[in-house]
Amino acid sequence: MLAVLAAAPAAAGHAATPTDTLLFEGAILLGVATLFVMLFRRLGLGAVLGYLIAGALVGPYGLGLVGGGQSKLAIAEIGIAFLLFLVGLELHPRRLWALRKAIFGLGLAQVVVTGLILTALILVTLGFSWQAALVLGLPLALSSTAQVLPSLKSSGRINSPFGEKAFSILLFQDLAIVPMITIVAALSRAPADPSAPPGEMLALYTVGAIIGLVLAGRFLVNPLLRLVGRYGERELFVVVGLLVVLASAALMHSLHVSPALGAFVAGVMLADSPYRHEIEADVEPFRLILLGLFFLAVGMVLDINVVLADPLRVLALAGGLVVTKIAVLTLLVRAFGKSWKTALGLALLLSQGGEFGFVLFAQAADALLIAPEAASLFSAVVTLSMVSTPFLMLFARNLEFAPDRDGTELEGPDDAPRGSALVIGYGRFGQIVSQMLHAVDCSVTLIDRKPSQIELSGRFDTKVYYGDGLRLDLLRRAGADEARLIIYCIDDASVDAAVLGPIVEAFPQAKVLTRVFDRRQLMAIDGAGTSGAVREVFESSIALGLMALERLDVDPRTMEDVEAALRQLDEARLAAQIDEGDLSAGGDHRFKPGGGREAASVLETLRQRRLAAKAARDEAESMQAADPEAA
C-alpha cells in the first residue's frame, strides 16, 4: 500500500508537483505513524518510540518513501516551542522564582559536569581533537525536552518536587544552548557568518528579547485577549494563541537563540492571565501534531548506513552515553541532598540525548570542527539513546519512583485538604457556592466566559479564568482529571444530558453538580449521570415562603411541616414528570387553593408523625423523671 501511494503521482501520468509531494508524503507519514504508534502503545512502550521507528522506516535512509528529513525536522521543532509555551503557562512567575536554586544550581551542575565528563571520554577513547571533543561532549549533556516533559505532564508529576527538579534541569539546558552556540562560533575554523552576532552581543540580545516579551505580554497580549474575550469567538483565541507562540519563537530564532526559550517566556507571562485555560485548550492540538511530526523527522534523519557500517560501535556509544549520564546525574542529585530513589529516577528520565544536539552537531560541522561523518555518527547515537527512553521510563515506573513528599513542595490544587473543585460560572450563584467550598479549605478553580465578570472579580482579588467550561479539552487543561467536584453554576437553560453526559463519562472520579433553570431543564439532564442538581430559584423561593408564613404568625412547627411536605410533594411530582416525560404529570402532588387532596394527606401524615414523635419524647421524659435509676 505504501509503495502504491509513493508511486501514485507517476502512475497518474504527470510529473509530481510540490502539492503532490506534500499530499502523498503526508499520507504516508500519517499512515505509518498511526500504525506504529498504535502498535507500540499496545506493547506499553509509548508513542515516541513508535514515531521514531516509523520515521526511520519510511525515511530516506530506510525505504526511501519520504524525503527531506532535515527540512521536516526544522519545521517540526516548532512543536517543541509549543510544548515549552504550554509548560510556561503552568508556571507563575513567582513559582519560577522559587525554582531559581534548582535551575541555576542543579541545572548548571548537570550541564557543566556531564558535558565535561563526556568531553573527556570522547577525547580519550575516540581520538578527536579537544575542540571536536568539546563541541560533541557539551551537546550530549542535553536531554530531550520533547520526550521528558510530555511524560511528566501525562503522569501528573510536572508540579511535584520530582517533576520540578526535572523541569529545572531541562530549562537550564535550553538556556545553555546560547553559550554552546557561542563556544562553537568561538572555536570555528570556517569564515565568520556575517549574519550571526558575536557571543557577548548574543547574550545581550537574549536578555533584551526576554524583557521585550515580558512587556509585550503585559501591555499587548493581555489587553488583546480581553478584547477577543468580549467577542466570544473561539477562532480568535486559536489565532491569538498561535500568534503568541510563533511570534515569540520567531523573535528568538532571529537572534540565533532557541525558539523554544522565547515560547516558554511568553507562556510564563500569560500564566496569571484569566484566559490561560482557553489558550491551553486551543494550542494543545497543534502541540500534539507537531511533536509527533518532530519525532517522525528525528527517525527520518537517522542514517541507517552509519549504524549498519559499524553497529556495535554505534550501540556501544549510545549505551555509554546513557550509562554515563545516569551515573553522573544520580551522584549529582544525591549530592544536592535528595534520596537515592529520587536521584536514580531523575537520572533514568534524563539519560537520553537531546533534540538540540542535532542542531549543534550540524553547526559544529559547518564550523569545520568535526567531519560530516562524525555529525551523522553522533546524531545516530542521540537517536538511539532516545529509543532507549521509553524502556527506561517503564523500568522506573515498575520500581515505583514516586515523587518524594518533602517540605519544598509547592501548594497546588492536589494539596487541597478536602479535594479540589472546578466551579464553572462565577456569578451570584457561583460566588456563594465557592465561598462554602473555601470555608472548608477546598482548593477551587473558577472559570467563567464573561470578561466583564472576570475583570470585576479581579478587583476583589479573586482569580477567575476565562473559558467555556462545557468543553472537555478546556476542563482537562483546568485540572478536571484530578478534581473531585465539577460544579456548574452557569445560567444556561440549553444545557442537557447530551452536553453533560460526555463530561461525566470523561471524568468519572469527579462528582458533577449543576444549577438548572427550571423543571424542564431538570428533566432534560436526566440520564446524564450527574450527582445532583438544584433549580436556581427553588431554595430561595422556599426561604421567602417561610418568611411569609412567619409574618402571618404561623406556628413554627406548622411551618416545618409545610416545608417538609412541599419538598416531598415536589420530589414525587418531579419523578412522575421524568418517568412520563410530561410536565402535566403528578398534578396532584402539589398544594392548590383549598389544600389539594394529595397535598393535604401528605401534610397531615407529617403532622401526625411529628405529634407521635413528640408524644414518644414526652413519655420517655416522664419515665425518666419517675425512675431516674432505671433510665
Side-chain angles (χ1 to χ4, degrees):
M1 177 179 174
L2 296 177
V4 170
L5 280 174
H14 64 275
T17 66
T19 302
D20 292 330
T21 302
L22 177 63
L23 291 175
F24 285 102
E25 288 191 354
I28 292 171
L29 283 173
L30 292 177
V32 176
T34 301
L35 176 63
F36 276 85
V37 169
M38 290 176 62
L39 174 62
F40 281 85
R41 283 282 193 187
R42 182 64 179 259
L43 297 174
L45 300 176
V48 171
L49 188 55
Y51 283 122
L52 290 172
I53 299 299
L57 177 65
V58 302
Y61 300 107
L63 297 177
L65 302 178
V66 177
Q70 288 291 349
S71 62
K72 290 180 176 62
L73 184 62
I75 296 173
E77 284 178 2
I78 300 174
I80 303 172
F82 276 92
L83 174 63
L84 267 292
F85 175 74
L86 292 174
V87 170
L89 284 176
E90 297 184 6
L91 285 172
H92 298 281
R94 58 181 178 274
R95 183 174 165 223
L96 192 61
W97 177 252
L99 294 176
R100 64 190 184 280
K101 292 182 179 179
I103 295 171
F104 295 100
L106 183 57
L108 174 63
Q110 186 275 327
V111 171
V112 173
V113 174
T114 306
L116 292 179
I117 289 176
L118 289 170
T119 297
L121 289 175
I122 293 172
L123 184 65
V124 171
T125 60
L126 299 180
F128 284 95
S129 67
W130 71 265
Q131 295 95 333
L134 186 64
V135 297
L136 289 171
L138 290 179
L140 289 175
L142 305 178
S143 304
S144 176
T145 300
Q147 273 188 299
V148 176
L149 283 187
S151 173
L152 290 173
K153 286 171 67 67
S154 63
S155 64
R157 298 168 72 185
I158 187 67
N159 294 322
S160 69
F162 181 92
E164 286 174 350
K165 291 177 184 64
F167 171 76
S168 299
I169 294 172
L170 290 170
L171 179 58
F172 187 86
Q173 289 180 357
D174 284 339
L175 295 173
I177 294 170
V178 175
M180 287 186 186
I181 292 175
T182 304
I183 291 173
V184 172
L187 297 176
S188 175
R189 300 189 181 102
D193 182 1
S195 64
E200 61 275 6
M201 292 302 297
L202 184 62
L204 290 176
Y205 289 163
T206 303
V207 173
I210 292 175
I211 295 174
L213 289 174
V214 171
L215 296 176
R218 181 171 182 179
F219 296 108
L220 292 179
V221 179
N222 272 320
L224 177 60
L225 288 171
R226 282 196 295 270
L227 181 62
V228 170
R230 289 193 174 92
Y231 288 107
E233 293 289 341
R234 182 184 174 187
E235 292 80 4
L236 286 176
F237 272 105
V238 177
V239 172
V240 172
L242 294 176
L243 171 64
V244 171
V245 178
L246 296 178
S248 56
L251 174 62
M252 288 299 189
H253 181 70
S254 67
L255 300 175
H256 299 269
V257 181
S258 165
L261 178 60
F264 172 75
V265 174
V268 172
M269 291 307 102
L270 294 177
D272 278 326
S273 170
Y275 306 96
R276 186 192 95 190
H277 293 305
E278 183 77 15
I279 294 175
E280 278 186 293
D282 290 334
V283 169
E284 178 73 7
F286 295 94
R287 192 270 298 181
L288 293 171
I289 294 171
L290 288 170
L291 268 187
L293 178 59
F294 172 79
F295 286 115
L296 280 170
V298 169
M300 290 170 61
V301 299
L302 174 61
D303 192 342
I304 303 295
N305 296 323
V306 171
V307 179
L308 295 178
D310 196 348
L312 293 179
R313 183 190 188 201
V314 176
L315 289 173
L317 289 174
L321 171 64
V322 171
V323 170
T324 301
K325 294 184 75 171
I326 290 175
V328 173
L329 190 52
T330 299
L331 295 175
L332 278 177
V333 177
R334 189 76 182 95
F336 275 77
K338 302 305 175 184
S339 67
W340 283 106
K341 183 176 67 174
T342 298
L344 185 55
L346 277 171
L348 288 170
L349 198 65
L350 301 173
S351 60
Q352 73 288 125
E355 52 273 352
F356 290 111
F358 302 118
V359 178
L360 291 166
F361 295 151
Q363 290 188 343
D366 293 339
L368 303 182
L369 294 172
I370 60 174
E373 293 76 14
S376 297
L377 172 64
F378 281 93
S379 294
V381 168
V382 169
T383 303
L384 290 179
S385 71
M386 287 182 172
V387 171
S388 73
T389 301
F391 298 97
L392 295 177
M393 288 180 177
L394 183 63
F395 179 63
R397 285 196 296 270
N398 289 337
L399 291 179
E400 296 184 356
F401 287 114
D404 294 330
R405 294 282 177 177
D406 55 28
T408 62
E409 183 170 6
L410 299 175
E411 185 176 358
D414 293 338
D415 303 317
R418 304 286 179 92
S420 58
L422 271 65
V423 173
I424 315 300
Y426 195 64
R428 295 167 296 169
F429 200 101
Q431 289 169 20
I432 300 300
V433 172
S434 61
Q435 285 187 56
M436 297 180 73
L437 294 172
H438 288 311
V440 295
D441 295 324
C442 178
S443 177
V444 181
T445 299
L446 303 171
I447 298 175
D448 201 294
R449 60 183 306 171
K450 296 180 180 178
S452 58
Q453 183 65 51
I454 294 172
E455 293 173 8
L456 179 62
S457 301
R459 298 175 193 170
F460 295 91
D461 297 324
T462 301
K463 172 64 69 175
V464 182
Y465 293 100
Y466 176 87
D468 182 357
L470 296 172
R471 286 173 50 188
L472 289 176
D473 54 350
L474 185 134
L475 289 173
R476 288 194 176 92
R477 304 283 2 122
D481 289 313
E482 292 84 32
R484 293 179 60 188
L485 286 172
I486 302 176
I487 308 174
Y488 285 94
C489 302
I490 55 178
D491 183 12
D492 188 350
S494 66
V495 174
D496 56 14
V499 175
L500 294 177
I503 295 172
V504 174
E505 184 179 353
F507 310 109
Q509 87 293 340
K511 303 295 184 183
V512 178
L513 307 176
T514 183
R515 161 196 183 182
V516 296
F517 182 72
D518 56 10
R519 309 177 78 86
R520 293 181 180 86
Q521 189 176 10
L522 200 56
M523 293 168 62
I525 68 169
D526 180 56
T530 58
S531 297
V534 173
R535 281 170 283 164
E536 59 187 33
V537 297
F538 183 67
E539 297 296 333
S540 56
S541 300
I542 290 178
L544 187 60
L546 290 173
M547 189 181 295
L549 295 180
E550 183 182 7
R551 298 300 187 269
L552 291 174
D553 297 324
V554 175
D555 181 71
R557 287 167 295 189
T558 301
M559 291 171 56
E560 292 176 8
D561 293 341
V562 169
E563 180 184 0
L566 179 63
R567 291 183 182 276
Q568 183 176 326
L569 289 165
D570 186 80
E571 185 177 349
R573 182 184 174 203
L574 186 59
Q577 291 171 329
I578 291 175
D579 289 340
E580 300 181 24
D582 185 1
L583 273 177
S584 63
D588 290 337
H589 294 83
R590 63 190 180 98
F591 289 109
K592 303 175 183 178
R597 186 172 13 182
E598 181 67 26
S601 173
V602 172
L603 183 59
E604 180 61 23
T605 299
L606 290 172
R607 189 179 72 83
Q608 292 295 337
R609 191 180 301 164
R610 176 174 55 80
L611 292 176
K614 182 178 182 302
R617 287 196 303 270
D618 292 343
E619 183 179 356
E621 291 173 359
S622 298
M623 291 177 62
Q624 182 179 3
D627 190 358
E629 294 183 0

